[in-house]
Structure formats: structure tokens, C-alpha cells
Amino acid sequence: MSIDGLKEIKQPNERCRVVIETIANDVRDLQLFDGVQDATILKLMRAGYDQSFPPYVTLINEGTPANFLHIVVEGMVELFAGANKREATMAVVRPVSTFILAASVRDAPYLMSARTLQRSRVLLIPSADLRAAIANDNRFAMNVLNELAGCYRSMVRHAKNLKLRNTRERVAAYLLRQSRLLGNAPGFILPVEKRLLASYMGMTPENLSRALKSLAEDGCKIDGQRIIITDRAKFEALAALSPWLDGPDPEASQAGVSLPLPETDL
Amino acid sequence: MSIDGLKEIKQPNERCRVVIETIANDVRDLQLFDGVQDATILKLMRAGYDQSFPPYVTLINEGTPANFLHIVVEGMVELFAGANKREATMAVVRPVSTFILAASVRDAPYLMSARTLQRSRVLLIPSADLRAAIANDNRFAMNVLNELAGCYRSMVRHAKNLKLRNTRERVAAYLLRQSRLLGNAPGFILPVEKRLLASYMGMTPENLSRALKSLAEDGCKIDGQRIIITDRAKFEALAALSPWLDGPDPEASQAGVSLPLPETDL
DNA sequence: TCGGATAATTGATAAATGTCAATCGATGGG
DNA sequence: CCCATCGATTGACATTTATCAATTATCCGA
């Protein structure tokens, strides 16, 4: 099931009204729209479609033209890429965030596919309208620029991580980074299935499983989805986070190319 | 030797004149400046410094503030990142291209270090002036946006490549891609040292060496720096290029995150 | 509450990749 | 022209990672 049929929706204005009334505030809070005049946002909303999808529906196939900028309003969306009969998770996006901004801006084919992981509500802004808004509203252009620069930096970090760390180091760094994002929480719950986590970090589920287990003796215990840092000093020494690889930096918190924040209710 | 001392250069205006007279045309040809009014470009040039560096000089240390946008005018510059006592080449930039645009735009620390590989001439534009130009000139802002989107997409490809292909596949894909960029040239000369190539593709030099050797039986012979595709059909079947991983796409030709084009004078 | 499906784990093994050391080869300076 | 240096290659070996198969755990719907 693809969303190409969307273009045939007959009553965009009705849909638009729904959008504006129910989610405009969430969307407006996006950094992307910070300080942007209402006229620009309204025009984008009016051009957009508000759609809900069941879990595990493909929204985008890589290689197709980027007709829409997507904004996740509810649910959870996985970005992934395939080749050689393999598949790799590139990011998991949670509300409220945009995804695949770059393809829309450049009017180029999507480089990633997207599928819902849960029932999800997605706002679809035609790329042409997006580009028009960028051209007409300087403030909006600046925001898009900033967002894209953040996405880029996030992807640089991802690539560095892949090239400079082995499996165990990537896992340790990921866990400690998550804890730090939660204010040095001593424990948290993994935000996504482990197979997704493994794919995101470029390893097999089996390998991730063993790596997680092996971290017990270095200060981080795993119990199902639950992560407990038992010896922070030891674990931090092992993970050896670096600011230029792991943040903290503004862009790290964006959904650019990352996984969702975990929950901390242990 | 770092370039921090640059800020103390006493006669920026003299330097500026040199810049404008001798290299303005090359620089003006950058997509970044396409259609941009002269006033904007002149202002940037006037604010910039024109510097030459010997080979193997560090221009940027990752983690330091992004005070300058860099434009390589002559020579060759390597972008790399380090962690865990390891080091990874992220890109090799050749004239005329900018590098580390994202950090300058966001006023954030560099995520990559840079060093010259040859005697190089680099134009340094203070990031503050860059941001001012973006804010004041809408066309320039659009160009920067496009450039950044291209860099992002190039980095997405790089990450996909790392996650979806093994060593041999990455090597084969790289070689075939280079040939294709040269109009399906049957042979070419590697544009950088093999150790850089290996590091760029996330493998050891030894591993690259063996991979290259093993490709002989699949239609691609290696002789020192010289690459000869002996059986194109066979080699293409092996490499299995995908448009969403390997282009062709406008951004692929940009220096965003790649290696230079090889030479084809066999 | 019970199955059935799917994810996670574990063990055994194979394959890929990295490391170390030695040698070869090209290149540039004295 | 020779030597010193550094990159490339090769072999032997260690380590990491993937694969395959079997089992266990977990979640969801009937």
C-alpha cells in the first residue's frame, strides 16, 4: 500500500481544516516554523493532506520522486534502505518531526523508504508548495537551512560511528548517550525493538544480543527492554563518548537521523 | 600548525584584492554562487582571507568552533575524523569546492578535521559573514540550501554503502562508479592513495589490497594505481550498482562527501 | 486464557575482517 | 646514483562478525 493515491483525494480543503484545527499547534512548535509568519504556514497547511495509516504500511519507496514532505504527527515511522537483499534501518521518527526534507527541497528521488511501525498520522506537504514557501519566506528558508544542516551533521556522526567503532563500542556508546539524553538516568527502556536497533547500528540482531550481554561486566545490565547502568564510572570509561561523535549538540535532539528517546519509567 | 592565527592577519583588504583578481572567476562558478548578485559575493570576498599551505598541514581540528567556511582553490584537502585512536577519512576535496558548510551555517563545532594533502590554496570566509550573506540574499540562501541538501544526500549514500555492502562490494561499487563518472571509461587512475581510499570506505589497507586483487577474476584488473575494467558485463553484474546508492544524481558530483574524480589518461 | 506469530537468545560454525610482521616497490633528497 | 622513507603487498594468524539452527520469551488476537 503506497500513498500515491493521495494525489487523488478530492477534498483537500476539508482535510486541511482538520489539520489546522487539531494539530496546528503541535506542528507550529516545530523549529522549522519558529518565527515564521502565519501566512506561510497556513498556505502550507492548506496545500497539505492529513492522513492516518495502520502499522507496517509502506509510505515511501526509495527511488520514487519526492512529491511530499512528511510530518509525523502521531505514531512512529521507520526510515530504511535496501540493497543486495539486505535492509538497513536509517532512522526512526516520532512526533512531531519532519522527514526526508532534503529530497523535497532538491526535488530528487527519495534515498530512503519509509514505513509505519505503529498506527500513525502523517501530514503530507507537496514538495512544490514547500519549495515555494522557501522561496517566498526568508525566515522559513533560514529555518529549513538550519534543519538540514542539523540532519547533515547527524548523518556525519552516524557515519563516523560506523567507521570508528566496532560493534561493542557502538552499543555501549548508544546506551550511554541515551542515558545522558535523559539527564544521566541510571536506567531506561529501549525505545524500539532490538532488531531495529541492531539494523540501525549496522549489525545483526544476534551480534547485538551478545554485545548487550557482554556489557554486564562493564557496568550495564540488560533485562529485556530494560537497561540499567550499574557502574556508571566503569561504563563511561568503556564507552568513551566523544563530543564530536556523540554530542551533546542541538542537532542531536532532532529526529534527523536517529532513534527516538527511550522512556525512563523503570 | 593551525590556522587560528589567521584572525590576526593585518591586511585583509590587500589579501582580498588578490582573491578577487585571481580567483574570483573560479569561485564564482561554484553552484553556490550561481545567480547570486555581485554585491553579496564581493562582500564575502572582502571579508575573506586567501591562504596557501604546504602539504600535510592541519587546517581544522574537529571540535573547534567553525570560524570559517573553507573554499579549496588549489591543491587537495582531506577531511577526516578520529576517535578511539583510530582515524577515518571522510572526504577528499579538490578545487573548486567548499567544505564544512554545515558547521559554519549552524555556528557549531566542526565535526571533521581537515589537512592538506598537497600544497593548497584555501579561501577562508568568516562564518559570521557567511551567515549574514545568507540572511540578506535570498538567492544565496537558496543555493546554500541546495548545496547542503546535496551534502546530506551524499552522506546518506555513504552510510547506506557502509551498512548494506561488505568490503568487496564496496570496492567493486566504488570502482564501477568512478568508471561511470568518466563516461564508462574502461580504465582510470586512482585519484588518491590506497590507504586513503581504504579509510574512506571503512576498511584496512590490507583488506583493500586483497579485495582489489580478488576482483581480477570478476572483470577488473589492478596494476598499481591503474584500474582496468577487462570484462564490463561481468563486473557490472558483480558490483550491482543501485541508483539510490550510487547515483547518478546531481549531488553525486559535488564534493560533499566523496573522493575526487580519477584521471583517465591510461 | 490459550495459541500462534514474531522477536530474542543461545550455541555451533563459517566467513569476513583486522592485526602483526616481513618484504617489495616507488619516490624524492642528498 | 644510492639510500632512506613510506606506501603497498603478502602471509600467517587472531579476532570479530555473520550465518544457520534450535530454543525460549513475548506479545497480540481469538
Side-chain angles (χ1 to χ4, degrees):
Chain A
M1 176 175 173
S2 149
I3 58 163
D4 287 344
L6 264 182
K7 280 173 283 182
E8 291 150 27
I9 285 167
K10 291 296 182 264
Q11 297 153 322
N13 284 329
E14 294 217 13
R15 294 190 173 281
C16 146
R17 198 173 317 125
V18 173
V19 168
I20 291 171
E21 282 169 5
T22 62
I23 61 171
N25 283 336
D26 290 340
V27 173
R28 231 209 170 293
D29 285 342
L30 283 173
Q31 281 194 21
L32 205 56
F33 292 126
D34 183 53
V36 173
Q37 39 183 308
D38 288 335
T40 300
I41 300 178
L42 270 179
K43 208 182 282 184
L44 283 176
M45 293 295 148
R46 257 194 275 275
Y49 308 99
D50 177 13
Q51 287 279 287
S52 284
F53 301 95
Y56 298 103
V57 166
T58 298
L59 303 178
I60 290 172
N61 279 305
E62 57 179 323
T64 57
N67 294 320
F68 298 96
L69 171 70
H70 291 62
I71 305 178
V72 191
V73 178
E74 292 170 22
M76 183 144 72
V77 174
E78 178 194 5
L79 305 185
F80 63 101
N84 287 335
K85 296 161 194 163
R86 266 164 280 183
E87 210 176 88
T89 300
M90 299 299 289
V92 173
V93 186
R94 276 222 291 221
V96 180
S97 334
T98 61
F99 61 91
I100 335 208
L101 183 56
S104 292
V105 166
R106 279 185 81 101
D107 198 15
Y110 293 116
L111 292 183
M112 301 188 262
S113 301
R115 67 165 80 97
T116 57
L117 292 176
Q118 309 171 347
R119 171 166 191 76
S120 299
R121 194 161 159 214
V122 181
L123 200 55
L124 300 144
I125 313 284
S127 301
D129 295 282
L130 173 74
R131 286 192 294 274
I134 292 172
N136 293 328
D137 185 330
N138 216 340
R139 175 59 188 255
F140 184 54
M142 295 287 285
N143 288 0
V144 172
L145 190 49
N146 244 285
E147 174 90 5
L148 259 185
C151 289
Y152 171 75
R153 286 169 62 86
S154 160
M155 193 56 85
V156 169
R157 290 200 156 106
H158 191 56
K160 283 169 65 170
N161 206 28
L162 290 170
K163 288 209 259 193
L164 292 168
R165 287 180 169 141
N166 62 24
T167 291
R168 199 152 180 275
E169 292 166 336
R170 290 205 292 279
V171 173
Y174 169 78
L175 294 177
L176 188 53
R177 207 164 47 214
Q178 295 313 104
S179 160
R180 206 187 42 189
L181 285 173
L182 295 168
N184 286 335
F188 57 87
I189 296 176
L190 290 176
V192 295
E193 289 174 347
K194 287 190 185 138
R195 69 191 174 86
L196 282 188
L197 190 53
S199 179
Y200 176 69
M201 296 198 288
M203 61 190 71
T204 60
E206 294 95 328
N207 201 359
L208 171 62
S209 187
R210 285 184 251 263
L212 283 172
K213 197 171 163 188
S214 81
L215 289 177
E217 56 201 40
D218 291 290
C220 185
K221 221 169 118 289
I222 281 82
D223 173 27
Q225 296 275 100
R226 213 176 304 268
I227 307 291
I228 302 115
I229 296 178
T230 53
D231 184 341
R232 188 160 203 97
K234 195 170 184 182
F235 194 52
E236 289 195 328
L238 175 83
L241 295 192
S242 145
W244 331 123
L245 239 174
D246 308 288
D249 257 55
E251 69 262 21
S253 66
Q254 291 186 314
V257 207
S258 56
L259 298 183
L261 263 184
E263 318 204 354
T264 184
D265 48 344
L266 290 179
Chain B
M1 175 173 172
S2 152
I3 57 162
D4 286 343
L6 265 182
K7 279 174 284 184
E8 291 152 25
I9 287 169
K10 291 295 181 263
Q11 296 152 323
N13 283 330
E14 294 216 14
R15 295 192 171 277
C16 146
R17 199 174 316 126
V18 174
V19 167
I20 290 172
E21 283 169 5
T22 63
I23 61 171
N25 284 337
D26 290 340
V27 173
R28 231 212 170 288
D29 284 344
L30 282 173
Q31 280 195 22
L32 205 57
F33 292 126
D34 183 52
V36 173
Q37 39 183 308
D38 289 336
T40 300
I41 299 179
L42 270 179
K43 208 183 282 182
L44 283 175
M45 293 296 147
R46 258 193 274 275
Y49 308 98
D50 177 13
Q51 287 278 289
S52 284
F53 300 95
Y56 298 104
V57 165
T58 298
L59 303 178
I60 290 173
N61 279 306
E62 57 180 323
T64 57
N67 294 322
F68 297 98
L69 171 69
H70 291 62
I71 305 178
V72 190
V73 178
E74 291 170 22
M76 182 145 72
V77 174
E78 178 193 5
L79 305 184
F80 64 100
N84 286 335
K85 296 165 197 163
R86 266 164 282 183
E87 208 176 271
T89 300
M90 300 298 288
V92 172
V93 186
R94 276 223 291 223
V96 179
S97 334
T98 61
F99 61 91
I100 337 206
L101 183 55
S104 292
V105 166
R106 280 186 80 102
D107 197 14
Y110 294 115
L111 293 183
M112 301 187 263
S113 301
R115 67 165 80 97
T116 56
L117 292 177
Q118 309 170 347
R119 170 164 190 78
S120 300
R121 193 161 158 215
V122 181
L123 200 55
L124 300 145
I125 313 283
S127 301
D129 295 283
L130 172 75
R131 287 192 294 274
I134 292 172
N136 293 329
D137 184 331
N138 214 341
R139 174 60 189 255
F140 183 55
M142 295 288 285
N143 288 0
V144 173
L145 190 48
N146 244 285
E147 173 91 5
L148 258 185
C151 289
Y152 172 74
R153 286 168 64 86
S154 160
M155 192 56 87
V156 169
R157 290 200 156 107
H158 192 57
K160 283 169 66 171
N161 206 29
L162 290 170
K163 288 208 259 193
L164 292 168
R165 287 180 169 141
N166 62 25
T167 290
R168 200 153 179 274
E169 293 166 335
R170 289 204 293 281
V171 174
Y174 169 77
L175 294 178
L176 188 52
R177 207 162 47 215
Q178 295 312 106
S179 160
R180 206 186 45 191
L181 285 172
L182 296 169
N184 287 334
F188 57 88
I189 295 177
L190 290 176
V192 295
E193 288 174 348
K194 286 190 184 138
R195 70 193 174 86
L196 282 187
L197 190 53
S199 179
Y200 176 69
M201 296 198 288
M203 61 191 71
T204 59
E206 295 94 330
N207 202 359
L208 171 62
S209 188
R210 286 184 251 263
L212 283 172
K213 196 171 163 188
S214 82
L215 290 177
E217 57 201 41
D218 291 289
C220 186
K221 221 169 118 289
I222 282 82
D223 172 28
Q225 296 274 100
R226 213 176 304 268
I227 307 290
I228 302 116
I229 296 179
T230 53
D231 184 341
R232 188 161 203 98
K234 195 170 184 182
F235 194 52
E236 289 195 328
L238 175 84
L241 295 193
S242 146
W244 331 124
L245 241 173
D246 307 288
D249 257 56
E251 71 261 23
S253 67
Q254 293 186 313
V257 207
S258 55
L259 299 184
L261 264 185
E263 318 203 354
T264 184
D265 47 348
L266 289 180

